[in-house]
């Protein structure tokens, strides 16, 4: 009998919690992705977002992007793309997994430092480090992985259910 009342209380709490969330119907949404770069010489993490309503002919312009190599203090943004404001873009990538995953096309580097000819390129699942100086071109390659960042509403629901379950578990231990 205790199990049935616990289940009823959990379902009621979840229903009230979800009912209190203000849901507004929209035709477009901002989609957020995290990405990780891994190569023999450089590793880093970043985030990007785009409006899925602007997704036309398999691509959309990135709205915001931040990226940082683990061993550097410099934070790269969408404005560091060599072809900004036309790039960076997001495109649908299903090459290796067979699943539709959004991926980046982003070429960047320190643009205001003429002494540095090192550039970086993220093209889907491929990461490349190269020299912009034609006489000194050297390529180092690596991989890029992507993960969709959950929406805040989903995280709120998970937090609510987890909190109710934890409270019920503590109450059952006391009794």
């Amino acid at each position: 009998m205790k199990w049935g009342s616990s289940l009823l209380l959990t379902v009621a709490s979840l229903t009230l919690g979800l009912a209190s969330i203000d849901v507004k119907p929209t035709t477009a949404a901002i989609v957020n992705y995290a990405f990780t770069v891994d190569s023999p010489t450089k590793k880093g993490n970043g985030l990007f977002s785009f409006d899925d309503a602007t997704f036309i002919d398999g691509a959309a312009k990135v709205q915001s992007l931040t990226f940082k190599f683990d061993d550097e203090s410099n934070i790269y943004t969408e404005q560091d793309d060599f072809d900004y404001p036309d790039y960076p873009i997001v495109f649908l990538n299903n090459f290796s997994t067979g699943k539709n995953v959004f991926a980046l096309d982003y070429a960047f580097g320190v643009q205001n430092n003429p002494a540095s000819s090192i550039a970086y390129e993220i093209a889907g699942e491929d990461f490349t480090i190269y020299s912009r100086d034609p006489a000194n071109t050297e390529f180092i390659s690596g991989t890029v992985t992507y993960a969709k960042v959950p929406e805040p509403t989903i995280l709120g629901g998970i937090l609510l259910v987890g909190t109710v379950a934890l409270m019920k578990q503590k109450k059952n231990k006391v009794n």
Side-chain angles (χ1 to χ4, degrees), residues 4-24:
S5 64
S6 296
L7 179 63
L8 182 61
L9 180 61
T10 303
V11 170
S13 298
L14 178 61
T15 303
L16 287 173
L18 292 176
S20 66
I21 296 172
D22 185 24
V23 178
K24 296 177 183 172

Side-chain angles (χ1 to χ4, degrees), residues 10 13-14 155-169:
T10 303
S13 298
L14 178 61
L155 293 176
I158 291 170
L159 181 63
L160 178 67
V161 170
T163 303
V164 170
L166 184 63
M167 289 178 2
K168 290 301 295 173
Q169 193 176 39

Side-chain angles (χ1 to χ4, degrees), residues 40-58:
T41 59
K42 290 279 193 184
K43 296 180 186 325
N45 296 294
L47 296 167
F48 68 90
S49 65
F50 67 97
D51 185 345
D52 68 351
T54 63
F55 203 76
I56 300 169
D57 294 330

Side-chain angles (χ1 to χ4, degrees), residues 83-101:
D83 294 321
Y84 182 81
D86 296 326
Y87 282 81
I89 62 167
V90 177
F91 63 94
L92 200 54
N93 179 14
N94 59 6
F95 299 124
S96 66
T97 63
K99 296 179 182 177
N100 287 336
V101 177

Side-chain angles (χ1 to χ4, degrees), residues 3-154:
W3 184 82
S5 64
S6 296
L7 179 63
L8 182 61
L9 180 61
T10 303
V11 170
S13 298
L14 178 61
T15 303
L16 287 173
L18 292 176
S20 66
I21 296 172
D22 185 24
V23 178
K24 296 177 183 172
T26 60
T27 57
I30 302 299
V31 180
N32 298 301
Y33 267 81
F35 64 100
T36 302
V37 167
D38 188 9
S39 79
T41 59
K42 290 279 193 184
K43 296 180 186 325
N45 296 294
L47 296 167
F48 68 90
S49 65
F50 67 97
D51 185 345
D52 68 351
T54 63
F55 203 76
I56 300 169
D57 294 330
K61 191 165 177 264
V62 169
Q63 282 193 331
S64 69
L65 183 146
T66 57
F67 177 77
K68 182 180 175 302
F69 287 113
D70 293 346
D71 60 345
E72 292 182 12
S73 61
N74 191 26
I75 297 174
Y76 297 96
T77 69
E78 69 277 2
Q79 295 177 358
D80 291 312
D81 192 294
F82 297 132
D83 294 321
Y84 182 81
D86 296 326
Y87 282 81
I89 62 167
V90 177
F91 63 94
L92 200 54
N93 179 14
N94 59 6
F95 299 124
S96 66
T97 63
K99 296 179 182 177
N100 287 336
V101 177
F102 292 103
L104 282 173
D105 187 352
Y106 179 46
F108 61 101
V110 181
Q111 296 184 38
N112 57 358
N113 183 359
S116 176
S117 66
I118 300 297
Y120 310 99
E121 182 178 27
I122 295 173
E125 298 172 346
D126 299 323
F127 172 69
T128 307
I129 303 171
Y130 62 96
S131 173
R132 295 184 79 195
D133 180 3
N136 188 18
T137 301
E138 182 178 324
F139 294 100
I140 299 172
S141 62
T143 59
V144 182
T145 55
Y146 299 92
K148 186 172 182 186
V149 176
E151 294 295 323
T153 305
I154 295 169

